[in-house]
Amino acid sequence: MKIIITGGSASGKSANAEKIICKYAKNKLYLATMQPFGQAAQKRIERHLNLRQGKDFDTEECFTNLADFRPKKQYDGILLECISNLLANEMFSPDGIGFDNAINHILQGINNLEKYCKVLVIVTSEIFSDGETYPYETMQYCKLLGQINQILFNLSDMAVESVCGILLQHKGDNLL
Amino acid sequence: MTVLIIGGAYQGKKELAKKLFNLDDNDFIGRDSKAVYNLHEYIKTNNITDVSNFANSLKDKIIICNEIGCGVIPLDKKLDDWREITGRVCCEIASFADIVIRVIAGVPQFIKGRI
């Protein structure tokens, strides 16, 4: 089963994603994708670490090439956080696959992860509503994230949006 | 009763609040006002150090705030922090609010509670 959760900045996505996976999985892996560069990233990582405390997650990191990622064991649930970081890494980091193949590469990665768990919870982001125009690279990033979100919503059994910490159901039965 | 009304800019949030809760413009004025308008603007110009305390200080009010978190993360740290704190404050208020309404083009969607 695949569940996707989206939302804007500070909308409670992570807390809700954890709630969902804790409900469906006992034995679970938190798969982090944020590269720990800079103060802001450090602060976000710390906040997420605190949030997960006491919830009994294994934690691993994967910044690029999700298709080659091999978890140490089989899990009930894997929480992948998040597509927006993974896409940025694939597009902009030296280890990334680049703009042209980023979407397919990440989708192969999702297929790969599904082999290692019964429930996969995927976190992504809403970044599409500020009406701003950015440099070419940023606009491409927004476009690809929009495309991959559409594909993932389509492939998911349940899709939800976190708004002020409240989950709005966009697809599938209410599993909470 | 605590009510949180969110939505994009220019969606008729204030007019809707007036209609649903029998408010007039005076209700939005002053420290002990019944209602708070443009909470995101207040957060932008005031240093909020304790999200939970700040959210609690708005208990029993009708609070209107723009949704500002659904864009590209700003490079400017100040703007990034502003979006982050606004989001956290709204999550906190929503957790104890009796009613949360998301407004799109003047149409209310009750995402928590009912009138």
Side-chain angles (χ1 to χ4, degrees), chain A residues 104-117:
Chain A
N104 275 335
H105 204 56
I106 290 172
L107 290 175
Q108 283 164 13
I110 305 265
N111 274 336
N112 172 45
L113 278 190
E114 281 194 284
K115 290 186 229 149
Y116 292 94
C117 62

Side-chain angles (χ1 to χ4, degrees), chain A:
Chain A
M1 183 167 67
K2 251 195 318 279
I3 299 169
I4 184 154
I5 171 163
T6 189
S9 290
S11 61
K13 300 184 292 288
S14 306
N16 273 315
E18 284 169 20
K19 233 182 258 171
I20 292 171
I21 201 151
C22 286
K23 179 162 180 185
Y24 289 96
K26 207 169 160 233
N27 182 354
K28 53 201 180 292
L29 171 71
Y30 180 87
L31 187 52
T33 58
M34 189 187 285
Q35 294 181 295
F37 299 144
Q39 237 183 358
Q42 286 287 5
K43 236 175 101 179
R44 286 196 167 102
I45 289 170
E46 233 162 78
R47 213 188 67 80
H48 284 171
L49 270 171
N50 286 334
L51 211 59
R52 286 203 305 283
Q53 197 120 65
K55 289 179 185 152
D56 209 17
F57 278 95
D58 285 353
T59 300
E60 291 200 56
E61 290 177 330
C62 178
F63 303 136
T64 53
N65 290 318
L66 187 60
D68 295 331
F69 176 75
R70 299 284 174 267
K72 293 193 180 85
K73 58 177 184 184
Q74 215 44 49
Y75 286 95
D76 296 331
I78 297 180
L79 171 49
L80 174 66
E81 179 152 21
C82 60
I83 296 297
S84 39
N85 280 320
L86 200 56
L87 179 64
N89 298 343
E90 291 293 1
M91 289 175 72
F92 302 117
S93 92
D95 303 330
I97 191 141
F99 285 33
D100 291 345
N101 295 314
I103 287 189
N104 275 335
H105 204 56
I106 290 172
L107 290 175
Q108 283 164 13
I110 305 265
N111 274 336
N112 172 45
L113 278 190
E114 281 194 284
K115 290 186 229 149
Y116 292 94
C117 62
K118 290 177 206 141
V119 180
L120 176 62
V121 178
I122 304 166
V123 179
T124 188
S125 285
E126 289 305 299
I127 62 162
F128 312 104
S129 305
D130 58 15
E132 297 275 353
T133 304
Y134 295 99
Y136 173 77
E137 287 78 8
T138 311
M139 294 312 275
Q140 279 304 106
Y141 171 75
C142 293
K143 185 177 163 187
L144 293 189
L145 187 61
Q147 286 177 353
I148 201 163
N149 282 356
Q150 289 180 50
I151 295 168
L152 290 175
F153 265 58
N154 189 33
L155 294 175
S156 293
D157 301 283
M158 170 174 137
V160 288
E161 177 187 6
S162 187
V163 178
C164 301
I166 298 162
L167 283 184
L168 306 184
Q169 194 87 21
H170 288 308
K171 183 184 171 184
D173 297 330
N174 191 345
L175 300 175
L176 290 184

Side-chain angles (χ1 to χ4, degrees), chain B residues 26-46:
Chain B
N26 292 324
D27 291 319
F28 290 88
I29 300 168
R31 201 163 247 283
D32 297 317
S33 61
K34 273 193 220 167
V36 174
Y37 182 52
N38 279 350
L39 181 68
H40 60 289
E41 290 293 348
Y42 180 87
I43 293 172
K44 196 174 196 177
T45 49
N46 289 270

Side-chain angles (χ1 to χ4, degrees), chain B residues 58-81:
Chain B
L58 295 166
K59 253 184 190 154
D60 299 321
K61 290 184 190 289
I62 292 155
I63 305 138
I64 302 174
C65 186
N66 283 13
E67 278 188 89
I68 59 168
C70 290
V72 172
I73 295 179
L75 289 173
D76 183 340
K77 185 175 178 305
K78 256 193 164 160
L79 292 177
D80 189 12
D81 287 347

